[in-house]
Amino acid sequence: MRRKPVLSHSPLLFPTIPAILVSVLVPAYFSQAMAQNVITSKPDEVQAPTQLATPIQSPLQTQSDDKSSKESLPSQKQLEKLSEKQKQDDKNAPVTVRAGNFSGMPERYIKFEHDVEVVKGGTRINADEAMYRNLEDEVEASGKVRMTRYGDCYKGDALRMQLDASSGYVANPIYKLLRNNAQGHAARIDFQDEERSLITRGTYSTCEGLDPDWYLQSDTLSLDTGLDKGVAGKSVLYFKGVPILATPSLTFPLSGARHSGLLPPILGASSKGGPEVTLPYYFNIAPNRDLTLYPKMIARRGLQLGVEGRYLGETYAGETSVEGLLNDRVTGTNRYAVASIHQQKLLPQLELSWNINSASDDDYPTDFSRTITKTAQRLLLREANLTYYGSFWNLSLRTSNYQVLQDLAAPIARPYDRLPQLQLHAEQHDVAGLDWSMDSILTRFWHPTMVRGDRAVFNPQISLPLVQAGGFVIPKISFHATNYHLVNPEPGKESDFHRVVPTFSVDSGLVFERKTEMFGKALTQTLEPRLFYVNTPYRDQSRMPNFDSAVADFNFAQIFSENRFTGQDRIGDSNQITAALISRFIEGDGDESLKLAIGQRFYFNTQKVTLDNTVSPSRSDLLLAATGKLSSTLSGEMALQLSQTDRQSVRANYGVHWQPSPKKVLNLEYRYQRNSLEQVDVSAQWPVADRWYMVGRSNYSMMDKKMVDGLLGFEYKADCWSLRFLAQRFATNSVNNTSGFSIQLELNGLARLGFGANPIDALKKNISGYQSGSER
């Protein structure tokens, strides 16, 4: 919050040394030469000295000539140390003056000469000559003027400052600011108060040295530390001595915080739209709200308008973006996309949320998205949830549907809409030694072409956990009761179905520990055998509709579940046991150095409930997994699914992650799924020369013998700027790919200028462990 300037005068102190200064009370001129004079008194009063003040030398050192004097500026560390001593805000602080000679009328003015130093609160002024006017509380200085003001430093030819109001000016200054290490020179700097200053015909840069790599040259430059904002008018931006941007107005933060204003233009190009330019405008509405407008001119398609708003409060948060263009020149249609997420606590126990996504047509992501994450979206979810939380239960009302963006080469089926779904969930633990839970779900399913109807589910469960330090046994009983009522059954088919399926399961395990050593490091090794038995009787479900069930993915989490299907429409019959063995190597601080696991499911019955009419074998595939840290910089993981019928791999995943130091990372991953997928994924960020880093990723399909998606680029990190080059290629659908190229120049403390999409976003999403050059 800006502090209002104090207009009233405060008591001032003037030099006090020899007793002869008592004669100053007589209204007459006087002159006295001394080796060092320190005057300290209140207005219209001179006191006898109590002690000699020790001279405080300014960090802006006096040089032997004017040129070197102007070029010498303190380092950032010197400024920070100085600010700790000087950053005071005391309007009643005394004025202390040191000088070789002084003369004048103390009740009106005093003139000081030879190594003059004036100090009040957070302001220190050094000059060859200075005059202090008592009534105005004003200092006028000339000759090698140096001023430190709340940690900021200025050097110039002349100065006038009203100390109480912290207003005045410096002529022909060079300056350095503590807040963001910015510096430059100007024809004049006017100080309006403690927080606001106006630089006239000056430069601005966050680079060190006399010849900065980049600088902003402006007719006027307004700096406001209270609002943390700089506003440059009629400016030219120079990089390496070459003008790269001219603008009538430019707004930027002084400390990296967000501020309203016109953002630098974003240039780009695509194979489908041709050259494009985006001119975004950012509104910093409040610390917890902002809005960005981004009009984009696409050469072949026309003007695309977009807006994105974000908000965050104590009980709510959300983000909404809308973009579109009228009369696309290629398709001749109006096209748009909408995305909105929101969460809000309406009452202490009542929450509302939604996730809404929509697009005008199937090809919108392909034509306008610049990232693989957006292009790959083919199911756009639209849902809203209202949930009430009780002491041990919650009641939720949900409505959802999907918009399917079809890929003609690989079409997908549209999921059912839930219009609506009401669910009651309750659970309690350790009730007379028992754990219990209950789910009751009522859903209306709708589909434009398939059978529609209502489904009611009631699923109570109760278990008896017997847990000790070295093991556990958890028997559990559950019932799954379901009732269907179809509103448009096929001719001659029933419209009502019901099903009740009980399930009994026992989960058990032991934990053994021992001390061991690996690579010279003391570890604790565990051995954890686990058995999980499930028995669910067969119920004929072939005539029942399938609204939301599918075969669950086979992995370590799924083999310890009662049902091999997802959803509620299929309850698998089972008489099976899952056996697993896990071993962990744990360091002294609790970190897991290595984990090994093996597991398999054995069937004692022939499974009759299926979705694809497959016949189950007597045992499942064998699962193997390992994750570990070979060192503080090297880690790896492995997951393998082996078929027990043909002794071949069904799925495999191997990965290695090496990060020996910041901004130095290498990732290698191999993914395999029989008859459908075999890929090698390599990504890295690595220094190749002084300040130069190579970044890249290649996801190569060995089955198709082509790169699915990838990127390659270089990043250069200087002291006050970074430069990035990035080329990308990724699939927009099952047939087509798109390519893009990005260039970004990041000027620390000012802006990011570039061509194409933001390369930092792409690198963070594609390279695990990536750090931009500007991060420390």
Side-chain angles (χ1 to χ4, degrees):
M1 180 179 294
R2 186 186 303 285
R3 295 182 294 273
K4 295 184 179 180
V6 179
L7 300 179
S8 60
H9 269 295
S10 358
L12 303 178
L13 284 167
F14 275 95
T16 83
I17 293 189
I20 193 173
L21 291 186
V22 176
S23 62
V24 173
L25 294 176
V26 180
Y29 290 92
F30 68 92
S31 177
Q32 179 73 32
M34 306 178 65
Q36 164 135 355
N37 294 321
V38 180
I39 304 179
T40 320
S41 85
K42 295 183 179 180
D44 305 324
E45 177 184 346
V46 175
Q47 301 173 352
T50 55
Q51 63 178 5
L52 281 174
T54 303
I56 301 176
Q57 191 159 7
S58 168
L60 297 175
Q61 302 293 333
T62 304
Q63 303 295 324
S64 57
D65 58 83
D66 292 342
K67 181 178 178 180
S68 61
S69 173
K70 275 200 169 187
E71 292 176 349
S72 178
L73 286 171
S75 68
Q76 182 70 6
K77 288 185 178 179
Q78 288 174 316
L79 287 176
E80 290 173 354
K81 290 180 179 179
L82 182 65
S83 68
E84 294 298 324
K85 298 178 180 179
Q86 288 189 330
K87 199 163 187 179
Q88 307 170 20
D89 186 19
D90 184 5
K91 295 293 183 180
N92 298 315
V95 176
T96 301
V97 183
R98 294 173 175 84
N101 297 321
F102 61 88
S103 63
M105 301 176 62
E107 70 277 10
R108 298 187 60 185
Y109 70 90
I110 300 180
K111 184 177 181 181
F112 301 92
E113 297 177 330
H114 304 305
D115 296 328
V116 180
E117 182 179 77
V118 182
V119 179
K120 180 178 181 180
T123 301
R124 173 178 280 105
I125 300 170
N126 295 81
D128 290 343
E129 297 180 354
M131 179 179 292
Y132 180 80
R133 295 183 176 87
N134 188 11
L135 297 179
E136 293 84 1
D137 189 27
E138 182 179 82
V139 174
E140 186 174 351
S142 61
K144 296 182 181 179
V145 174
R146 302 170 302 281
M147 179 175 69
T148 58
R149 185 172 180 262
Y150 306 107
D152 300 334
C153 293
Y154 307 86
K155 298 180 68 175
D157 297 334
L159 171 147
R160 176 177 289 181
M161 285 293 297
Q162 190 175 16
L163 298 178
D164 194 27
S166 295
S167 62
Y169 71 88
V170 180
N172 298 320
I174 58 174
Y175 66 92
K176 188 165 187 177
L177 307 180
L178 173 68
R179 190 180 186 91
N180 58 351
N181 198 34
Q183 64 180 24
H185 59 82
R188 175 173 166 140
I189 298 181
D190 289 277
F191 304 100
Q192 299 168 341
D193 54 37
E194 295 175 8
E195 298 175 342
R196 295 179 297 168
S197 58
L198 178 65
I199 300 174
T200 304
R201 297 195 303 277
T203 65
Y204 178 91
S205 177
T206 58
C207 298
E208 298 278 1
L210 304 177
D211 185 20
D213 289 345
W214 70 265
Y215 63 92
L216 188 68
Q217 189 172 50
S218 305
D219 283 357
T220 60
L221 184 61
S222 176
L223 305 180
D224 191 325
T225 58
L227 298 177
D228 189 37
K229 182 172 69 173
V231 179
K234 198 177 181 181
S235 305
V236 178
L237 179 61
Y238 288 83
F239 180 72
K240 293 294 185 179
V242 178
I244 60 173
L245 178 66
T247 174
S249 178
L250 179 65
T251 303
F252 57 93
L254 299 180
S255 64
R258 305 170 310 174
H259 288 290
S260 299
L262 190 65
L263 302 181
I266 302 172
L267 305 177
S270 67
S271 58
K272 294 191 174 184
E276 59 188 44
V277 58
T278 307
L279 195 61
Y281 192 93
Y282 179 79
F283 293 93
N284 185 33
I285 301 172
N288 62 334
R289 297 184 187 89
D290 63 12
L291 184 73
T292 305
L293 302 177
Y294 45 96
K296 179 189 296 184
M297 177 55 71
I298 306 175
R300 297 178 188 169
R301 297 187 178 273
L303 178 62
Q304 183 187 53
L305 299 177
V307 59
E308 181 181 46
R310 302 181 299 176
Y311 50 91
L312 175 65
E314 294 184 0
T315 60
Y316 61 89
E319 180 177 344
T320 298
S321 63
V322 180
E323 63 181 32
L325 73 164
L326 298 175
N327 192 22
D328 185 339
R329 295 172 184 169
V330 176
T331 64
T333 60
N334 298 329
R335 309 185 70 184
Y336 65 87
V338 177
S340 177
I341 57 174
H342 177 84
Q343 291 180 323
Q344 183 168 0
K345 184 174 289 187
L346 302 177
L347 297 172
Q349 295 175 301
L350 183 64
E351 289 187 0
L352 170 69
S353 66
W354 70 65
N355 185 358
I356 300 173
N357 301 272
S358 180
S360 58
D361 53 83
D362 294 341
D363 296 325
Y364 191 92
T366 303
D367 292 343
F368 297 105
S369 294
R370 296 291 174 264
T371 63
I372 186 173
T373 54
K374 290 186 177 181
T375 304
Q377 291 183 5
R378 290 292 167 183
L379 286 175
L380 302 185
L381 174 63
R382 306 162 178 174
E383 72 169 356
N385 288 277
L386 186 65
T387 306
Y388 185 86
Y389 294 93
S391 57
F392 61 90
W393 57 273
N394 63 75
L395 180 66
S396 63
L397 179 64
R398 174 192 180 194
T399 177
S400 68
N401 71 351
Y402 290 88
Q403 179 184 0
V404 181
L405 305 183
Q406 290 289 4
D407 178 2
L408 296 180
I412 56 178
R414 171 178 172 168
Y416 272 90
D417 300 342
R418 290 174 168 86
L419 302 174
Q421 175 177 287
L422 182 65
Q423 179 173 357
L424 174 64
H425 173 78
E427 67 175 281
Q428 283 185 302
H429 298 277
D430 196 18
V431 179
L434 300 174
D435 293 347
W436 68 271
S437 68
M438 184 273 294
D439 285 284
S440 182
I441 310 171
L442 179 61
T443 312
R444 168 158 292 181
F445 291 96
W446 187 91
H447 196 282
T449 59
M450 300 175 66
V451 62
R452 301 186 290 272
D454 302 330
R455 185 187 68 193
V457 175
F458 181 66
N459 181 209
Q461 304 179 41
I462 188 169
S463 62
L464 177 62
L466 304 173
V467 182
Q468 298 294 328
F472 65 91
V473 177
I474 307 176
K476 183 169 72 171
I477 299 176
S478 65
F479 290 89
H480 197 285
T482 315
N483 186 78
Y484 294 89
H485 174 71
L486 307 183
V487 297
N488 62 336
E490 296 180 10
K493 297 295 182 69
E494 298 179 54
S495 61
D496 292 280
F497 304 90
H498 66 274
R499 172 193 63 195
V500 177
V501 185
T503 296
F504 172 74
S505 67
V506 180
D507 194 3
S508 61
L510 296 172
V511 179
F512 302 97
E513 293 185 358
R514 68 162 187 163
K515 299 296 182 181
T516 187
E517 188 175 297
M518 182 184 297
F519 304 116
K521 182 184 297 185
L523 300 170
T524 299
Q525 181 188 5
T526 69
L527 190 65
E528 306 169 30
R530 183 178 178 184
L531 292 176
F532 180 66
Y533 175 75
V534 179
N535 191 312
T536 303
Y538 167 73
R539 296 291 186 270
D540 183 12
Q541 303 165 50
S542 58
R543 297 177 299 159
M544 297 182 178
N546 182 14
F547 294 132
D548 62 1
S549 282
V551 178
D553 186 34
F554 188 70
N555 52 45
F556 265 99
Q558 195 278 328
I559 62 174
F560 291 100
S561 62
E562 287 89 353
N563 192 13
R564 61 181 177 272
F565 300 102
T566 62
Q568 307 288 344
D569 291 312
R570 294 294 182 270
I571 306 299
D573 56 318
S574 59
N575 184 14
Q576 63 196 35
I577 191 168
T578 299
L581 185 63
I582 301 172
S583 182
R584 309 174 199 266
F585 293 82
I586 303 172
E587 300 177 8
D589 58 2
D591 286 349
E592 195 173 82
S593 179
L594 179 64
K595 177 182 177 181
L596 305 173
I598 181 172
Q600 191 170 20
R601 181 184 287 166
F602 300 90
Y603 303 105
F604 304 129
N605 68 325
T606 300
Q607 299 169 2
K608 299 178 182 179
V609 179
T610 65
L611 286 175
D612 50 10
N613 296 320
T614 58
V615 178
S616 63
S618 61
R619 54 183 176 174
S620 71
D621 295 340
L622 183 67
L623 294 178
L624 301 170
T627 59
K629 298 187 301 180
L630 302 180
S631 68
S632 59
T633 62
L634 181 64
S635 62
E637 61 180 14
M638 181 271 289
L640 185 63
Q641 180 179 340
L642 296 175
S643 171
Q644 294 297 282
T645 56
D646 54 18
R647 305 288 181 179
Q648 292 184 354
S649 296
V650 178
R651 287 193 304 180
N653 187 69
Y654 307 96
V656 177
H657 176 80
W658 183 38
Q659 191 165 13
S661 62
K663 302 180 182 67
K664 186 185 286 188
V665 61
L666 176 63
N667 304 298
L668 177 62
E669 187 175 3
Y670 172 79
R671 295 185 292 269
Y672 169 80
Q673 187 165 343
R674 187 190 295 181
N675 300 328
S676 62
L677 179 72
E678 188 175 9
Q679 294 178 348
V680 176
D681 197 332
V682 183
S683 62
Q685 177 188 19
W686 207 261
V688 293
D690 185 30
R691 297 178 178 268
W692 280 98
Y693 296 85
M694 185 197 73
V695 291
R697 181 198 176 197
S698 174
N699 183 15
Y700 183 80
S701 172
M702 301 179 68
M703 294 183 63
D704 301 323
K705 299 189 183 304
K706 69 176 183 178
M707 185 171 66
V708 179
D709 51 78
L711 56 86
L712 179 64
F714 293 90
E715 184 174 16
Y716 181 82
K717 174 65 177 74
D719 293 330
C720 59
W721 58 273
S722 300
L723 183 64
R724 303 176 184 92
F725 303 88
L726 185 65
Q728 298 183 71
R729 180 176 178 83
F730 53 86
T732 57
N733 52 41
S734 58
V735 178
N736 300 317
N737 290 345
T738 187
S739 300
F741 184 73
S742 303
I743 301 176
Q744 185 182 75
L745 175 63
E746 181 177 356
L747 306 177
N748 295 358
L750 187 71
R752 289 175 178 172
L753 309 174
F755 175 90
N758 187 355
I760 295 180
D761 293 342
L763 292 171
K764 286 185 175 180
K765 291 175 181 177
N766 285 274
I767 304 176
S768 176
Y770 166 81
Q771 289 180 287
S772 68
S774 57
E775 294 182 32
R776 295 184 179 181

